[in-house]
Amino acid sequence: MIDREQVLYVARLARLRLTDEEVERMTGELSTILEHIETIGTVDLEDVEPTSHVVELENVLRPDEPRPSLPRDRALEQAPDSDETGFRVPSPSAGQ
Amino acid sequence: MPEAAAHYEPVIGLEIHVQLATKTKMFCSCALSFGEDPNTRTCPVCLGLPGTLPVVNAEAVHYALMVGLALDCEIAPRSIFHRKNYFYPDLPKGYQVSQYDIPICGPGRLGDIRIHRAHLEEDAAKLVHAGESGRIHSADSSVVDFNRGGTPLVEIVTEPDVRSAAQASDWLRLLRVTLRQLGVSDVNMEEGSLRCDANVSIRPQGSTELGTKTELKNMNSFRFLERGIEAEIARQESIVSEGGQVTQETLHFDPRTGSISSLRSKEEAHDYRYFPEPDLVALAPTEEMVDRARAALPELPAARAARLEGDLGLHPDDARLLAFRTELGDLFESTLAADGSHPRGVANWVTGELLSRLGEREPAQTALEPAALARLVAMVEDGDVSGSAAKEVLGVLVEDGGDPEAIVEQRGLAKAGGDELEAIVEQAMADNADAVEKIRGGNPKAIGAIVGAVMKATKGTADGGEVQRLVRERIES
Amino acid sequence: MSDATELTGAQAAGEIAAGKLSAPELFEAYRERAAGEELNAYLWVAEDAPAVPADAPLGGVPVAVKDLFCTEGVPSQAGSRILEGYRPPYTSTAVERLAAAGAPILGKTNMDEFAMGSSNENSGFGPVLNPWDTGRVPGGSSGGSAAAVAAGLAPWAIGTDTGGSVRQPASLCGVVGLRPTYGAISRYGMIAFASSLDQAGPLTRDVTDSALLLRHMAGADPCDSTSTGLPEEVALPSAERLDGLTFGVPPQLTGEGIEPGVREVFDATLRRIEELGGSLEEIELPHSEQAIAAYYVIAPAEASANLARFDGVRYGRRANGAGDLLSLYEQTREEGFGDEVKRRIMIGTYALSSGYYDAYYGSAQRVRTKIAEDFRAAYEKVDLIVTPTSPTVAFGLGEKTDDPLAMYLLDFCTVPMPLAGIPAISIPGGLSEGLPVGIQLAGPAFSENRILNAAYALEQAIGFDGSAARA
Ligand SMILES: [Mg+2]
Ligand SMILES: [Zn+2]
């Protein structure tokens, strides 16, 4: 179960602006989905190790050797807003 | 508020971010940036382009192991990376790849402060705020420069063992010289390769539980660190002594005004949603990796100070100074290598007269030869040359080099003594009969005039004590 | 020329090598079909054939590539409006390897936005139609690649499989879809959905083509720390019988929920396995019942972080007129992401948020361990596991869009394998109501050659005819 307040909190964490209609729908949909997910609770998981990865590799390391970086115009090419030196954004301090 | 200070005990823990001096970034092969033009040291990986993946820099791991061993940390047999999630323009992926519950370096100690942990992570990019960039922007816009983004960091977290601002900056100096000695970082606070945050709380003297702590961010010099912590302790003491409550928050110290202000947090709710980074596999330092790191460790300042004090019987202050000023310590030891019979004497000359003559220079930047310094100290110890004369000789050795005996010869600085000196003393007494009378009249101070005349005649090579003895002999007889 | 597009990839490569077919002409024939298609399978089609070295093993037979593979200078949008028009400055390892082997890129295929979906109705650029019945979905998320191969709009294609996104559309479109062992193919340059589950794989007309593409895509990659490659060279399958092979049949994935028509084709396939000398054995996969639940925690959790980079700062879409930074983020993501993507970001963010991690993400990871143990135990007894790929044939467009959970639950046959990181293939087993039914063969990690050989033997015996969809 998840309530409207939690939906709004999570949406803020995820930087998603939801319309009131979306918040309503999400609250219902997520509750149904989470209800199913909670069937996990029926499994006995006492001292079972979590698996975050199926690969058994360890210590995959890269030699400390420089490779050419992108030319700046290439790096900035896809930016929605930039000046000749970098990516432009509203100042975090401003507004907010 | 010394009055309040008597009632409250500060409890301080430090968090230090150290930029590693590898050739490339933590997770990509971009060369590290040293003030190049903005965004000229980036690639698809450190720009966080869709589809890119991190690959760990082997040298960063090697450096982290060196730091861990230097801080007596337990090296984790297996550690993993986590994602720390929050939105900010200097964080291209929307998360920082860091270490969370299993850091590469566990509990350790440096000097009198226990280390809680040390872990590897990637540095954020730089936000150039309007104006700072020197170009015209709308007042409320910033430009992101990703050159610094992805620089390898070791974050060192201490236990809350620090009890004063002075102790904090002393200890940070020890850490800094230790890291420099390791050669893993430029440790330059002004340039941000060494950054220190402090967690500060106070508690009633004698109490053992911890008060609410505040976090003081990024004080970029030892002075600011000290002043910042002092100001925060004072602030908390005044709050508490007025019956108030300290609130947990992140604070910024403004060195210009000496004032402390609350920082707006990056994520209003500090809910970083850490979870294991699925794009990386575990770090499990092999015996061979750890041995390689151990083999790369030089003698560290704390150990050197202990050795100089213990084995050579140096005064603790001299030992510490020689250990922390690596080049000075090296000169000291090579001087002893030439002649090891007067460790204390050499230490006094190196940490005293020589240090003051060096000014900004390191010994290597002067003409001074360790062997020459060894001979000079020996001459002093054997009484062949007076202290003031030896200082003059040292001056020559530092500026022009050469052989101390020869310099003493040329300048006629050999200590005057024997019949010659007695004759000079008697002449001086004759020339200063009135002074002799005053002494006989019970005014010992008058002897100064006679000694002065003798020194003048011997160009300072005479031994003051010897001269006084000869004068008294003659007056009393 | 149209008969050239009737050839499989391997056959075409053979004709080219024998000098009976010109690579540029083949490319042009497919380019025309792709440019003129009406299934909305392609989001971008190449202009002209790049030069291919004469000795290249794949001879210049072009490949259709799922939109989420980054390709330098070519739109790579992962089916999302938030990446509309995005042209990356680099190419994914898998696509680079194929190009080097002589399979140049023919076009970018449509997909569910960020690979989140099982029907291709979640694409930001409109749904893909199933060539067997344009009123039905092709499956997802690699629906564009599956439909393109089925309809003869490409000789072969590649997609990605996180919870079934290669196998399920292959099943619904009547083609062969292979999900290799996790790590066999580099993920570098694949726009990530769920990093610990994503794996690229071929969608082809037959099993031989599947083996051929896998051979040239697989390999450890210094740019992907989790890539291992395959321990042995991928052999072209040749087995005609299944003697000595034991096939496990798990009731959990073959009983309840499988629609009758699919069940019939599956039972017929089991009989064929025995005719070919293979033996059947019932095995238990007890925790596969929680697989969907675990999957819909782990995948969204990883996705919530993987999709945080779409913030309108460095590339892609940025909302207009957003004032401060917070509005810039929130409006950009609100406008750029579709409903399903938002839903999964919400689930994932919630599952990781403070106070819920252990109950959701932590437990899901433990269930994942149990599922892997189930498979390990099963493969002590059997060589391969056989199930239907999808419990249903292709369903009607819009039929299931209003019930997300119902749609999720359809993945129950394909989701357990990715959680365990093991390989599985879907091959056409026959038709039900004139629509293809896929049969899934799963094996232990790195058993690709065993799977391909068994699939090949079955394929020959079944003799499925997919030409109707290419007409
Ligand atoms: Mg940190
Ligand atoms: Zn880079």
Side-chain angles (χ1 to χ4, degrees):
Chain A
M1 270 309 285
I2 181 168
D3 61 34
R4 185 191 163 77
E5 282 320 297
Q6 289 169 302
V7 167
L8 288 170
Y9 169 75
V10 172
R12 167 48 86 82
L13 275 183
R15 295 295 187 269
L16 290 173
R17 178 170 297 169
L18 302 180
T19 64
D20 291 351
E21 181 270 330
E22 278 176 310
V23 174
E24 282 321 306
R25 189 157 43 77
M26 279 283 181
T27 310
E29 287 170 349
L30 295 194
S31 295
T32 322
I33 294 164
L34 290 169
E35 213 169 291
H36 174 78
I37 286 173
E38 279 150 18
T39 60
I40 292 178
T42 64
V43 189
D44 172 20
L45 298 171
E46 270 299 310
D47 40 61
V48 176
E49 280 301 304
T51 297
S52 52
H53 235 295
V54 291
V55 284
E56 272 133 25
L57 295 170
E58 285 177 340
N59 300 330
V60 177
L61 304 172
R62 163 180 65 80
D64 186 27
E65 292 156 9
R67 297 240 203 81
S69 294
L70 287 171
R72 179 157 70 187
D73 55 343
R74 209 72 209 293
L76 298 177
E77 192 174 57
Q78 299 281 325
D81 183 16
S82 64
D83 67 11
E84 66 281 10
T85 68
F87 304 84
R88 200 186 278 126
V89 294
S91 288
S93 41
Q96 229 168 356
Chain B
M1 34 208 59
E3 196 272 329
H7 296 85
Y8 298 109
E9 173 186 52
V11 176
I12 302 157
L14 301 176
E15 286 179 24
I16 303 96
H17 286 84
V18 183
Q19 279 185 344
L20 298 179
T22 49
K23 293 196 196 69
T24 65
K25 293 185 177 183
M26 183 67 216
F27 297 117
C28 69
S29 299
C30 287
L32 295 192
S33 174
F34 297 95
E36 281 79 7
D37 291 346
N39 292 299
T40 55
R41 286 281 191 274
T42 72
C43 71
V45 175
C46 58
L47 285 173
L49 298 193
T52 57
L53 301 169
V55 185
V56 174
N57 181 341
E59 193 71 352
V61 173
H62 177 59
Y63 284 3
L65 290 173
M66 286 174 67
V67 171
L69 293 170
L71 302 183
D72 269 319
C73 290
E74 292 167 18
I75 303 300
R78 186 175 182 284
S79 78
I80 62 172
F81 288 93
H82 269 65
R83 291 182 181 180
K84 179 183 184 180
N85 298 283
Y86 63 91
F87 286 84
Y88 208 67
D90 65 8
L91 198 64
K93 301 184 292 297
Y95 55 85
Q96 177 194 34
V97 178
S98 181
Q99 295 193 290
Y100 183 50
D101 51 3
I102 323 173
I104 184 168
C105 304
R109 155 178 301 279
L110 176 67
D112 50 356
I113 304 301
R114 288 171 303 150
I115 304 296
H116 175 58
R117 60 182 283 167
H119 71 252
L120 275 165
E121 62 183 29
E122 57 181 340
D123 205 347
K126 227 165 76 211
L127 265 179
V128 184
H129 296 290
E132 288 176 32
S133 67
R135 291 183 319 282
I136 310 91
H137 284 309
S138 62
D140 59 359
S141 91
S142 303
V143 168
V144 198
D145 169 13
F146 286 96
N147 283 359
R148 191 185 73 176
T151 300
L153 294 177
V154 163
E155 177 176 344
I156 299 165
V157 182
T158 75
E159 295 292 348
D161 290 353
V162 181
R163 291 291 174 270
S164 73
Q167 189 189 8
S169 66
D170 272 4
W171 184 81
L172 190 60
R173 279 194 175 82
L174 170 59
L175 176 67
R176 181 160 171 267
V177 67
T178 302
L179 293 168
R180 174 183 293 130
Q181 187 77 334
L182 288 175
V184 299
S185 171
D186 304 341
V187 289
N188 181 322
M189 289 186 84
E190 286 68 22
E191 289 167 14
S193 52
L194 182 72
R195 311 199 285 266
C196 184
D197 305 340
N199 295 312
V200 180
S201 68
I202 59 170
R203 64 185 174 197
Q205 287 288 357
S207 148
T208 53
E209 71 236 29
L210 297 168
T212 309
K213 69 173 188 211
T214 56
E215 187 179 13
L216 266 179
K217 279 279 172 203
N218 277 331
M219 290 149 291
N220 68 347
S221 79
F222 291 101
R223 215 172 86 261
F224 294 164
L225 174 69
E226 239 176 285
R227 286 174 50 196
I229 293 176
E230 269 159 10
E232 176 55 10
I233 292 172
R235 191 186 69 93
Q236 292 190 16
E237 281 170 347
S238 58
I239 291 174
V240 174
S241 49
E242 283 152 27
Q245 288 261 333
V246 175
T247 49
Q248 177 151 12
E249 58 186 331
T250 303
L251 302 168
H252 171 78
F253 172 72
D254 181 344
R256 279 170 295 112
T257 63
S259 69
I260 285 171
S261 56
S262 187
L263 278 182
R264 183 185 284 101
S265 66
K266 283 180 174 183
E267 179 94 303
E268 52 290 315
H270 276 281
D271 193 338
Y272 290 126
R273 291 155 285 141
Y274 281 97
F275 74 101
E277 164 59 288
D279 288 332
L280 291 172
V281 299
L283 268 183
T286 59
E287 225 177 302
E288 188 242 333
M289 288 163 75
V290 176
D291 291 346
R292 223 185 107 240
R294 190 173 283 109
L297 296 182
E299 183 187 36
L300 298 169
R304 192 178 204 180
R307 178 171 58 82
L308 298 182
E309 191 180 336
D311 301 3
L312 301 178
L314 299 194
H315 184 285
D317 296 347
D318 291 353
R320 196 176 146 96
L321 179 58
L322 292 171
F324 285 20
R325 290 257 332 235
T326 312
E327 298 81 357
L328 217 53
D330 294 347
L331 172 74
F332 169 76
E333 303 216 31
S334 35
T335 304
L336 289 195
D339 173 1
S341 39
H342 311 294
R344 277 238 193 69
V346 174
N348 292 338
W349 280 91
V350 170
T351 59
E353 184 63 16
L354 175 60
L355 186 56
S356 60
R357 284 181 182 273
L358 282 177
E360 292 308 290
R361 295 173 295 181
E362 290 299 347
Q365 297 163 293
T366 71
L368 179 63
E369 290 296 329
L373 177 58
R375 276 202 301 288
L376 178 60
V377 174
M379 290 164 70
V380 176
E381 297 284 331
D382 302 347
D384 303 339
V385 58
S386 73
S388 53
K391 289 182 182 176
E392 186 176 335
V393 176
L394 183 62
V396 179
L397 292 179
V398 168
E399 303 310 330
D400 317 323
D403 165 43
E405 281 93 351
I407 297 164
V408 167
E409 275 308 313
Q410 294 155 11
R411 308 207 165 194
L413 293 173
K415 188 191 277 180
D419 308 349
E420 183 199 349
L421 180 59
E422 293 187 18
I424 295 170
V425 169
E426 278 154 16
Q427 182 56 51
M429 288 175 76
D431 299 349
N432 297 275
D434 55 336
V436 175
E437 280 320 306
K438 286 193 183 120
I439 298 165
R440 291 213 169 90
N443 174 2
K445 286 211 184 62
I447 198 170
I450 299 164
V451 175
V454 173
M455 286 300 171
K456 194 152 181 289
T458 61
K459 301 204 203 69
T461 63
D463 179 320
E466 173 76 359
V467 175
Q468 295 202 13
R469 198 179 52 74
L470 293 169
V471 174
R472 286 206 196 78
E473 249 177 32
R474 284 163 178 63
I475 288 171
E476 279 144 27
S477 62
Chain C
M1 203 56 239
S2 72
D3 49 309
T5 59
E6 274 301 306
L7 302 169
T8 66
Q11 289 165 345
E15 301 268 295
I16 291 167
K20 301 202 201 105
L21 180 62
S22 116
E25 282 169 22
L26 181 71
F27 189 100
E28 185 49 31
Y30 275 113
R31 207 199 63 76
E32 271 169 28
R33 292 180 68 107
E37 58 111 358
E38 284 163 353
L39 301 174
N40 197 26
Y42 283 94
L43 296 177
W44 177 86
V45 177
E47 278 309 313
D48 34 27
V52 173
D55 59 344
L58 299 180
V61 179
V63 62
V65 172
K66 191 178 186 178
D67 195 32
L68 61 62
F69 288 89
C70 288
T71 35
E72 182 173 355
V74 166
S76 307
Q77 311 165 120
S80 180
R81 290 285 173 185
I82 208 165
L83 277 177
E84 191 160 8
Y86 173 62
R87 293 167 184 262
Y90 78 106
T91 298
S92 60
T93 301
V95 170
E96 210 140 56
R97 281 171 170 270
L98 286 178
I105 178 170
L106 173 60
K108 301 300 284 291
T109 56
N110 200 349
M111 57 182 282
D112 283 302
E113 181 176 12
F114 289 109
M116 297 177 184
S118 310
S119 71
N120 226 296
E121 293 164 294
N122 300 332
S123 168
F125 302 92
V128 176
L129 313 183
N130 189 316
W132 291 83
D133 174 349
T134 54
R136 294 172 185 267
V137 303
S141 65
S142 309
S145 288
V149 172
L153 306 174
W156 47 23
I158 60 172
T160 59
D161 187 308
T162 305
S165 286
V166 161
R167 293 160 290 157
Q168 186 258 11
S171 172
L172 271 50
C173 289
V175 299
V176 174
L178 172 67
R179 175 197 167 91
T181 305
Y182 183 88
I185 298 170
S186 169
R187 292 183 295 116
Y188 187 71
M190 270 167 45
I191 298 175
F193 163 17
S195 312
S196 77
L197 298 162
D198 294 345
Q199 183 59 198
L203 292 107
T204 56
R205 287 185 209 174
D206 69 10
V207 175
T208 303
D209 279 4
S210 190
L212 200 52
L213 284 187
L214 175 63
R215 175 191 286 174
H216 293 290
M217 286 165 85
D221 177 6
C223 293
D224 177 358
S225 311
T226 65
S227 67
T228 55
L230 291 170
E232 52 183 27
E233 163 94 336
V234 178
L236 292 191
S238 56
E240 263 141 38
R241 299 196 39 90
L242 300 172
D243 300 299
L245 284 180
T246 311
F247 291 74
V249 183
Q252 292 85 356
L253 306 185
T254 57
E256 210 185 319
I258 308 288
E259 68 182 21
V262 171
R263 178 80 224 181
E264 269 174 43
V265 174
F266 180 64
D267 290 339
T269 309
L270 294 184
R271 286 196 296 278
R272 274 224 176 69
I273 288 174
E274 291 180 308
E275 286 160 20
L276 292 170
S279 52
L280 303 173
E281 183 173 334
E282 179 163 313
I283 49 143
E284 290 297 319
L285 296 174
H287 297 92
S288 48
E289 271 149 16
Q290 281 75 38
I292 294 285
Y295 175 84
Y296 278 95
V297 171
I298 292 166
E302 294 181 4
S304 70
N306 285 332
L307 271 56
R309 70 190 60 199
F310 302 104
D311 58 7
V313 174
R314 283 145 296 127
Y315 43 79
R317 181 195 192 99
R318 171 185 284 200
N320 301 324
D324 57 43
L325 184 63
L326 182 63
S327 323
L328 171 71
Y329 285 154
E330 291 189 340
Q331 277 181 42
T332 297
R333 292 163 65 80
E334 162 68 7
E335 294 172 13
F337 289 141
D339 288 346
E340 183 59 25
V341 170
K342 287 178 190 165
R343 206 176 286 127
R344 298 204 194 182
I345 290 176
M346 291 290 290
I347 296 170
T349 305
Y350 179 69
L352 291 173
S353 64
S354 86
Y356 297 94
Y357 181 96
D358 293 331
Y360 290 103
Y361 193 73
S363 304
Q365 283 189 315
R366 288 177 167 79
V367 169
R368 190 174 185 178
T369 306
K370 286 296 198 182
I371 288 168
E373 285 169 0
D374 287 354
F375 278 111
R376 235 173 272 117
Y379 289 122
E380 302 274 308
K381 300 210 206 77
V382 301
D383 302 297
L384 295 166
I385 292 172
V386 57
T387 75
T389 308
S390 164
T392 72
V393 293
F395 46 89
L397 286 156
E399 207 178 282
K400 295 185 155 63
T401 40
D402 52 5
D403 186 350
L405 180 58
M407 187 83 92
Y408 296 174
L409 292 172
L410 288 179
D411 299 343
F412 74 91
C413 294
T414 51
V415 154
M417 297 76 185
L419 288 169
I422 61 175
I425 196 169
S426 177
I427 62 169
L431 297 176
S432 160
E433 307 150 35
L435 293 167
V437 172
I439 300 298
Q440 171 172 248
L441 296 179
F446 303 114
S447 65
E448 276 79 355
N449 279 332
R450 182 195 306 171
I451 292 175
L452 287 163
N453 260 308
Y456 178 82
L458 265 178
E459 176 183 59
Q460 306 310 307
I462 293 166
F464 180 81
D465 175 11
S467 56
R470 292 194 292 275

